[in-house]
């Protein structure tokens, strides 16, 4: 009989979003006429930008021609895409990032988990609470934690509480941690980080030899010109940070799949014998062994994001979802419900009305007004009493959902 990875048995029953889908499906089966509006998982609803579609169609045509046909591409991604990313996303903001430090992938969720392959098993890991569950669950799977307690916290992880009191930005820990997960604009709270806050983290990481995993999947939703989009806008970050980015939310690629991870060549980790080892080399080795790259057609689609038309179309998409976020904020606030986030981020973090627990509010919303959101407690113990509403949906659905919620739950 084969043995299994017992760490999986430590995981809570279901990953948050499939668990929500399970409950919603059961409801829909029992109530087939209910018009359910889904503002739970942050999945985009608006069509792909025309510039991306045109580029992908052209790429498919090329693949149908003997001269244009492409087999395996470079595991790191095509140079023409990495050059555009380096120029538009990093160098234009003063970040010293070279195309060779960018790795194209099929998703930042995948990379956030996969990156653990190149790190040892004895690192101390810090996550915020609440937090995007992938950071925690992938560490559980990798055997980096103990068991889960009644509050849903895993032994061995350092939880950094975030709340309205600290503007949903964690205080720098007093103890030494090795790996730190930061996500700005934040999923789930919609909070943002100032330059000063990120500089404090970079200073901490450099002082302690730590590495920051910086998840910038929602950077395109920043409208405040003072806020940094990349950790590499912060002095010293090249020596202590890996950044994850995605085309999912800005260009609507959740179903198309394209993302990127930046591993600066200056980034080092320690081998067991105490010597410095390049993390870029390890990640490159890992990717070229376990990954065959993103399809040529999709990379051409992603490249089109950087064309003048692509830039305009992506900006229009971002504006569209941010207008949804504003509608959500305004309507809920007018109904006396306390909201956070949703200004430079597509998520609105809602204090549950009438002191309902997160899952009670979820069930009430689903059963009485047929609206789906995400219970804050699903993101960690400190998310209890909160609820996340995603701005990714059609205008009509967002307006209708807000009408239903405010009618029923006015405080
Ligand atoms: C979310 O709803 O938190 C997102 O869909 C997460 C993701 O992109 O994986």
């Amino acid at each position: 009989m084969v043995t299994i990875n017992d760490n999986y048995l430590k995981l809570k029953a279901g990953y948050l979003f499939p668990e929500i889908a399970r409950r919603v499906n059961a409801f829909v089966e029992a109530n087939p006429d209910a018009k359910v509006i889904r503002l739970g998982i942050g999945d985009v609803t608006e069509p792909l930008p025309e510039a991306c579609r045109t580029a992908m169609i052209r790429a498919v045509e090329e693949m149908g021609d003997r001269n244009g046909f492409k087999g395996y591409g470079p595991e790191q991604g095509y140079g023409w895409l990495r050059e555009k990313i380096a120029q538009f996303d990093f160098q234009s903001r003063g970040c010293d990032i070279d195309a060779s430090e960018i790795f194209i992938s099929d998703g930042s969720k995948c990379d956030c988990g996969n990156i653990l392959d190149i790190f040892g098993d004895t690192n101390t890991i810090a996550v915020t609470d609440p937090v995007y569950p992938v950071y925690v669950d992938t560490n559980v799977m990798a055997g980096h934690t103990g068991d889960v307690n009644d509050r849903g916290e895993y032994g061995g992880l350092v939880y950094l509480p975030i709340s309205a009191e600290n503007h949903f930005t964690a205080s720098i820990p007093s103890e030494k941690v090795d790996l730190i997960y930061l996500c700005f604009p934040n999923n789930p709270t919609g909070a943002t980080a100032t330059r000063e806050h990120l500089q404090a983290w970079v200073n901490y990481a450099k002082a302690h030899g730590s590495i920051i995993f910086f998840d910038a999947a929602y950077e395109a939703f920043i409208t405040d010109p003072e806020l940094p989009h990349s950790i590499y806008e912060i002095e010293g970050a090249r020596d202590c940070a890996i950044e994850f980015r995605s085309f999912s939310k800005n260009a609507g690629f959740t179903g198309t799949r394209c993302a990127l991870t930046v591993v600066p060549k200056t980034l080092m980790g320690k081998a067991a014998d105490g010597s410095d080892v390049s993390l870029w080399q390890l990640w490159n080795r890992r990717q070229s062994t376990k990954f065959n790259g993103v399809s040529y057609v999709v990379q051409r689609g992603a490249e089109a994001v950087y064309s003048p038309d692509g830039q305009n179309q992506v900006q229009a998409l971002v504006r569209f979802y941010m207008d949804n976020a504003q509608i959500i904020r305004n309507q809920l606030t007018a109904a006396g419900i306390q909201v956070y986030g949703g200004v430079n981020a597509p998520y609105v973090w809602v204090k549950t009305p009438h002191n309902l627990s997160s899952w009670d509010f979820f069930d009430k919303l689903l059963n009485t007004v047929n609206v789906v959101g995400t219970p804050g407690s699903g993101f960690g113990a400190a998310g209890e009493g909160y609820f996340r509403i995603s701005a990714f949906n059609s205008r009509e659905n967002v307006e209708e959902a807000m009408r239903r919620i405010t009618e029923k739950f006015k405080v």
Side-chain angles (χ1 to χ4, degrees):
M1 188 72 95
V2 297
T3 59
I4 55 139
N5 177 351
D6 276 281
N7 295 311
Y8 277 63
L9 304 180
K10 294 181 197 160
L11 291 165
K12 282 171 277 169
Y15 179 56
L16 178 60
F17 295 107
E19 172 59 22
I20 290 171
R22 193 186 62 73
R23 291 189 188 211
V24 174
N25 291 343
F27 175 81
V28 170
E29 210 164 284
N31 303 275
D33 295 331
K35 297 230 172 335
V36 174
I37 300 178
R38 295 162 204 261
L39 303 176
I41 189 164
D43 194 5
V44 293
T45 53
E46 303 309 297
L48 285 173
E50 201 217 324
C52 301
R53 295 198 313 266
T54 307
M56 285 192 270
I57 291 166
R58 201 178 308 123
V60 169
E61 294 298 338
E62 270 182 73
M63 292 290 265
D65 178 87
R66 179 164 294 282
N67 294 322
F69 176 77
K70 307 267 183 305
Y72 291 124
E75 295 92 352
Q76 261 201 33
Y78 284 99
W80 35 260
L81 175 57
R82 290 187 286 108
E83 291 288 350
K84 291 263 166 51
I85 293 168
Q87 183 192 334
F88 281 81
D89 289 339
F90 295 103
Q91 291 158 7
S92 72
R93 295 191 169 277
C95 307
D96 177 19
I97 293 296
D98 185 74
S100 64
E101 298 174 313
I102 293 167
F103 294 80
I104 306 299
S105 79
D106 60 347
S108 56
K109 169 166 128 178
C110 324
D111 278 3
C112 281
N114 292 336
I115 198 77
L116 294 176
D117 273 11
I118 65 168
F119 289 93
D121 290 332
T122 56
N123 293 310
T124 312
I125 294 149
V127 291
T128 62
D129 180 9
V131 72
Y132 179 41
V134 169
Y135 312 151
V136 172
D137 286 5
T138 53
N139 274 292
V140 176
M141 291 170 176
H144 297 166
T145 72
D147 289 328
V148 70
N149 68 16
D150 293 345
R151 285 167 52 83
E153 297 159 334
Y154 286 92
L157 291 184
V158 175
Y159 287 95
L160 309 172
I162 56 175
S163 63
E165 284 73 53
N166 59 15
H167 306 289
F168 301 100
T169 49
S171 314
I172 308 292
S174 43
E175 72 231 85
K176 175 182 183 299
V177 294
D178 301 305
L179 298 175
I180 303 149
Y181 289 84
L182 295 180
C183 174
F184 289 113
N186 187 249
N187 179 12
T189 66
T192 51
T194 60
R195 263 169 222 287
E196 293 70 29
H197 182 68
L198 293 187
Q199 187 69 63
W201 274 113
V202 167
N203 294 348
Y204 171 90
K206 288 193 67 167
H208 292 86
S210 323
I211 298 283
I212 297 170
F213 292 152
F214 191 75
D215 184 348
Y218 300 95
E219 61 76 34
F221 297 88
I222 294 176
T223 46
D224 181 342
E226 294 301 316
L227 294 173
H229 288 234
S230 166
I231 188 91
Y232 304 116
E233 290 177 53
I234 308 303
E235 200 181 327
R238 273 188 62 84
D239 302 323
C240 64
I242 290 176
E243 182 162 309
F244 304 95
R245 286 206 180 191
S246 173
F247 292 94
S248 282
K249 309 293 160 91
N250 60 344
F253 272 44
T254 53
T256 308
R257 312 306 308 151
C258 197
L260 59 117
T261 292
V262 184
V263 186
K265 289 188 170 159
T266 38
L267 216 48
M268 295 291 159
K270 286 263 179 256
D273 66 4
S275 59
D276 284 342
V277 177
S278 152
L279 294 178
W280 182 94
Q281 268 174 9
L282 294 187
W283 185 242
N284 195 41
R285 184 72 174 82
R286 190 260 173 216
Q287 290 299 82
S288 43
T289 302
K290 292 197 181 181
F291 188 56
N292 263 334
V294 173
S295 80
Y296 173 70
V297 173
V298 168
Q299 290 192 64
R300 280 295 185 202
E303 184 197 23
V305 163
Y306 301 99
S307 66
D309 282 350
Q311 292 278 284
N312 287 335
Q313 290 158 14
V314 164
Q315 273 161 26
L317 269 181
V318 165
R319 261 198 311 276
F320 175 82
Y321 291 125
M322 289 313 293
D323 288 347
N324 281 349
Q326 196 176 349
I327 291 168
I328 296 169
R329 280 182 57 89
N330 291 348
Q331 298 277 318
L332 295 182
T333 306
I337 297 173
Q338 175 77 58
V339 299
Y340 304 92
V343 177
N344 292 285
Y347 295 124
V348 180
W349 189 241
V350 178
K351 183 83 197 78
T352 58
H354 311 296
N355 283 326
L356 289 167
S357 78
S358 300
W359 276 108
D360 281 352
F361 189 52
F362 173 90
D363 287 332
K364 272 206 158 52
L365 269 192
L366 178 61
N367 288 301
T368 60
V369 295
N370 311 146
V371 174
V372 180
T374 309
S377 56
F379 297 100
E384 182 54 88
Y386 288 89
F387 196 75
R388 194 192 73 176
I389 297 187
S390 156
F392 293 113
N393 214 309
S394 66
R395 181 62 39 81
E396 191 190 353
N397 277 349
V398 165
E399 283 174 344
E400 171 63 13
M402 289 309 112
R403 193 188 61 71
R404 292 186 200 170
I405 295 178
T406 52
E407 239 174 57
K408 186 83 190 170
F409 293 95
K410 212 174 174 59
V411 176

